[in-house]
Amino acid sequence: MNAFVRGFKEDATRLAGDLRHRGLIQAALNKYYGARDVKKSKYQSWEDARQAAAEIKWEAINTLDKCLVDFTAKLEARGTRVHWAGTAEQARAIVLNIVREKKARSIIKSKAMTSEEIRLNDALEHAGFEVVESDLGEYIVQLRKQAPYHIVFPAMHLTRGEISELFERELGSAPTDSPEELTMIARRALRSKYIAADIGITGANFAIAETGMISITENEGNARLTAALPKTVITLLGIEKVLPRLEDLALFLPMLATAGAGQTLTCYNTLYGGPRQPGECDGPEEYHVLLLDNKRTHLLADAEQRDALHCIRCGACLNVCPIYKNVGGHTYGTTYSGPIGSVITPHLRGLQEWKHLSDASSLCGACTETCPVKINLHHHLLHNRRNAVRQNPVWWEKLAFIGFAFIVNRPVLYDIGKKLARIGQLFHPLIKGSPLDPARAWTKTRDLPELAEKSFHELWRERR
Amino acid sequence: MSEREAILGRVREALRIPAPLPGHGERKGSREFSRWLPPVGDSLEAFRAASAELRTDFRLVDSPEAALAELRAAEGWKKIATHRGELTTPACASLGLPVLTVDSGYDVQDLEACDAGVTECDALVAQTGTVVLTSRQAGGRALSVLPPHHVVLARRAQLLPDLPAAFALLKERYGANYPSMIALITGPSRTGDIERILVLGAHGPKKLTIFCL
């Protein structure tokens, strides 16, 4: 068992029994469910919108080479410097180069999951630069030296009391139990950071191939400030973020808001097409866009699972997943958690090391049903399981299934098996839940249902 | 080989095997976004309702000067910022306050110290209660987000029904040469990052006022 599996199992067991954690997550998600259902019901046809969104992302991903060429050509034509990074290491090196060249002292960042993916903050801090996360939730988890708990709600696992204590300790503020006051403490602390920063780093929600624009969705205004005030701005994005046309946003922006946060539209949806243009009074002198592969082309090469690249990172599948709700975001040990994380992490970081995430699934299909771009999520979990076994067969599992098939195909043997099981059951309490118990994974915390006295087959024979 | 070519090469190689179509394998090819998104009905009523929900202060006014003067008195403004514009320039000048005009450059600390940023816009979107503005026509990137109160002066004719109409307008108006920033602003800045409880004014303006002529 590798360390990732061990960590996952330990954390999952601990958190699944942590009632305080459960209460916190349920309370947060219940608010989300209510808002999402109201907003979804306002659509004239959410289902048609989903189908169209799925088709548009399908088009973008299946013409990705053309989309990327168009996107970057348009950006470069208006003075943006485009960088391509095959790996996380290359991406970090590119950002470090820009930061060093600009002799930057302080860096302000808005939310970017890709920066978590390439561990950019660690690299920048290691090189001696101050990096401040400006999204409130990200700022809180950064102060706690933690990873974000959720793609969209990074600090969902914390109470206001914990945040107040954190601010008291790190910022010297007075304790308070008002979310509004806590938000204002962060607002005041970050204002000077925006103004002082030489470099702004942002993520991206969409990349428009037709016009060469980055689209950023947020509620707080921190990304807008990050892209407005520093002299140099860098945007990080995965190559899969493309949409073919500008007008596609008329569908994707409201769908992202509804699926992601239960809003009609997120507060700020902003398009950036380059550095400050002639006749404009502000904006960065230099604009860099960094396109990251980091094994996305590996996922692209798997035609069966290619639609996982349609993901718009709304987090809706996390919010409905019974596994996520029980074990929480940090347990996954990955940048991308929940069903989408379980699907793509084996492609991004190795199937054998991360296949266990695909086992942590009830296969209920809630993720597939809620996904606004119709990614076939729960089937992909099965595909990962199948691929993992195909690549690395487990001899005793194989043997067990051969034995199982041999017995169930022979009614006489099956009948004997049933009778033996009824006898064996009498002795089971002696070993129940102990390391000797073959059903231990189940019986550790649960009872095994008793076999019926008579099988359906036997009852049927008697009735005839 | 450059990294660009290497990545594009991997993309092309990967795409040689076609992927199944989304959903149940059919491609409807329909793009009637307006027919699926939330219905609009009367644009003015829809914008009013969306604004109320978002806590945007939306008012139909006869005179922007009078409306601004009233707001100034209520909020106790000492200094405001704006950009040169047909509506903004006379309205801001009439207040008799120090006015920072950002068009030919400004000091960020000065702008941060202003009580309000007054801008025009490209459009209002009834479906979502959104203000559409650009860096070219509304005083750059920071004016509408750095001061604690954003005031928009708009005209009735700028009210559009829905998002597809807004993107069509942007294409028509700027298609040949887009501004470096296009912002869709839907209500005052907000966050729910602490226990999913709504707080206004996370980093951007705590208040958004729209005066529509």
Side-chain angles (χ1 to χ4, degrees), chain A residues 62 300-304 306, chain B residues 11-20:
Chain A
N62 285 281
L300 190 72
D302 184 342
E304 187 178 46
R306 189 175 294 159
Chain B
V11 169
R12 289 181 183 127
E13 181 63 31
L15 291 178
R16 282 171 54 187
I17 304 167

Side-chain angles (χ1 to χ4, degrees), chain B residues 64-200:
Chain B
E65 284 81 4
L68 266 187
E70 194 188 313
L71 201 57
R72 172 226 164 146
E75 301 284 332
W77 291 343
K78 295 197 172 57
K79 187 183 177 188
I80 60 168
T82 190
H83 64 91
R84 277 195 288 276
E86 203 185 315
L87 295 173
T88 47
T89 305
C92 291
S94 73
L95 290 179
L97 281 176
V99 176
L100 172 68
T101 305
V102 296
D103 300 70
S104 36
Y106 61 89
D107 179 74
V108 177
Q109 304 276 7
D110 275 355
L111 181 60
E112 212 270 332
C114 287
D115 297 308
V118 183
T119 74
E120 295 179 5
C121 68
D122 273 283
L124 301 175
V125 185
Q127 187 171 49
T128 51
T130 300
V131 179
V132 182
L133 56 78
T134 68
S135 50
R136 192 178 299 159
Q137 132 297 349
R141 297 189 183 195
L143 176 62
S144 55
V145 74
L146 193 61
H149 192 159
H150 179 201
V151 182
V152 180
L153 304 182
R155 295 182 193 279
R156 267 295 291 276
Q158 290 182 303
L159 184 60
L160 299 175
D162 59 10
L163 287 170
F167 282 99
L169 175 89
L170 286 169
K171 199 170 207 171
E172 184 194 312
R173 187 168 292 170
Y174 298 113
N177 178 22
Y178 284 100
S180 77
M181 183 202 76
I182 300 169
L184 279 68
I185 300 169
T186 310
S189 160
R190 62 197 56 221
T191 185
D193 273 350
I194 300 173
E195 295 185 21
R196 308 287 313 127
I197 293 164
L198 177 70
V199 176
L200 297 185

Side-chain angles (χ1 to χ4, degrees), chain A residues 244-259:
Chain A
R245 294 160 292 268
L246 183 65
E247 72 222 42
D248 294 334
L249 290 175
L251 183 67
F252 278 85
L253 296 180
M255 288 187 79
L256 173 61
T258 301

Side-chain angles (χ1 to χ4, degrees), chain B residues 41-90:
Chain B
D42 177 63
S43 286
L44 190 61
E45 279 321 301
F47 196 89
R48 211 192 289 276
S51 297
E53 199 189 324
L54 292 161
R55 306 201 206 166
T56 300
D57 178 13
F58 171 67
R59 296 182 223 172
L60 283 180
V61 298
D62 295 322
S63 143
E65 284 81 4
L68 266 187
E70 194 188 313
L71 201 57
R72 172 226 164 146
E75 301 284 332
W77 291 343
K78 295 197 172 57
K79 187 183 177 188
I80 60 168
T82 190
H83 64 91
R84 277 195 288 276
E86 203 185 315
L87 295 173
T88 47
T89 305

Side-chain angles (χ1 to χ4, degrees), chain A residues 29-341:
Chain A
L29 287 178
N30 283 341
K31 285 184 194 139
Y32 161 83
Y33 299 141
R36 177 202 60 185
D37 290 348
V38 169
K39 297 302 180 191
K40 247 188 198 176
S41 72
K42 300 230 164 111
Y43 279 66
Q44 295 166 81
S45 174
W46 175 257
E47 279 311 308
D48 282 323
R50 275 179 89 208
Q51 178 66 23
E55 288 181 18
I56 292 168
K57 271 313 279 194
W58 186 91
E59 178 193 345
I61 294 298
N62 285 281
T63 57
L64 186 58
D65 51 336
K66 185 183 169 299
C67 284
L68 287 173
V69 168
D70 289 352
F71 170 66
T72 53
K74 290 274 183 186
L75 269 176
E76 282 168 342
R78 287 164 19 106
T80 301
R81 289 179 54 192
V82 176
H83 308 265
W84 300 72
T87 64
E89 200 185 342
Q90 286 172 2
R92 287 192 298 265
I94 290 165
V95 176
L96 273 172
N97 264 340
I98 299 168
V99 173
R100 287 203 177 105
E101 193 188 303
K102 295 288 146 204
K103 301 192 169 52
R105 286 180 312 275
S106 68
I107 301 167
I108 189 93
K109 260 187 77 200
S110 65
K111 199 164 166 28
M113 290 308 291
T114 36
S115 83
E116 299 287 338
E117 181 185 333
I118 65 170
R119 309 194 64 78
L120 182 64
N121 287 8
D122 288 351
L124 287 168
E125 279 163 10
H126 194 72
F129 299 101
E130 189 203 19
V131 194
V132 181
E133 291 286 350
S134 58
D135 172 86
L136 177 60
E138 292 280 348
Y139 181 59
I140 291 167
V141 294
Q142 186 190 30
L143 287 178
R144 282 175 63 97
K145 299 183 174 54
Q146 253 183 341
Y149 181 88
H150 185 288
I151 302 176
V152 180
F153 318 129
M156 190 167 80
H157 60 304
L158 299 172
T159 61
R160 60 186 93 175
E162 286 168 307
I163 295 165
S164 172
E165 275 170 34
L166 176 76
F167 283 0
E168 214 182 320
R169 191 169 68 237
E170 300 289 330
L171 306 173
S173 58
T176 169
D177 66 351
S178 148
E180 181 159 7
E181 276 179 41
L182 289 168
T183 305
M184 292 311 135
I185 291 167
R187 178 184 169 106
R188 282 193 294 274
L190 285 165
R191 277 264 148 165
S192 56
K193 304 280 184 191
Y194 291 114
I195 293 171
D198 323 274
I199 304 239
I201 299 180
T202 79
N205 294 87
F206 302 104
I208 310 301
E210 176 190 33
T211 56
M213 286 176 194
I214 294 288
S215 174
I216 300 179
T217 292
E218 49 146 356
N219 272 311
E220 298 181 3
N222 61 308
R224 284 199 58 197
L225 289 166
T226 301
L229 303 180
K231 284 200 164 141
T232 304
V233 172
I234 307 170
T235 293
L236 304 177
L237 72 156
I239 53 173
E240 82 284 11
K241 290 282 174 207
V242 289
L243 283 180
R245 294 160 292 268
L246 183 65
E247 72 222 42
D248 294 334
L249 290 175
L251 183 67
F252 278 85
L253 296 180
M255 288 187 79
L256 173 61
T258 301
Q263 291 178 281
T264 308
L265 200 61
T266 318
C267 190
Y268 298 106
N269 287 284
T270 318
L271 288 152
Y272 296 100
R276 174 182 183 167
Q277 298 293 303
E280 294 179 353
C281 67
D282 60 7
E285 287 162 13
E286 269 187 35
Y287 187 41
H288 298 261
V289 167
L290 194 162
L291 286 161
L292 178 70
D293 177 354
N294 205 25
K295 297 278 181 70
R296 283 165 175 75
T297 45
H298 183 274
L299 180 50
L300 190 72
D302 184 342
E304 187 178 46
Q305 295 194 45
R306 189 175 294 159
D307 69 350
L309 289 169
H310 297 183
C311 177
I312 57 172
R313 303 281 187 263
C314 66
C317 61
L318 283 61
N319 300 338
V320 300
C321 178
I323 307 300
Y324 183 92
K325 284 189 273 186
N326 271 290
V327 307
H330 287 144
T331 299
Y332 288 78
T334 56
T335 306
Y336 307 103
S337 56
I340 186 66

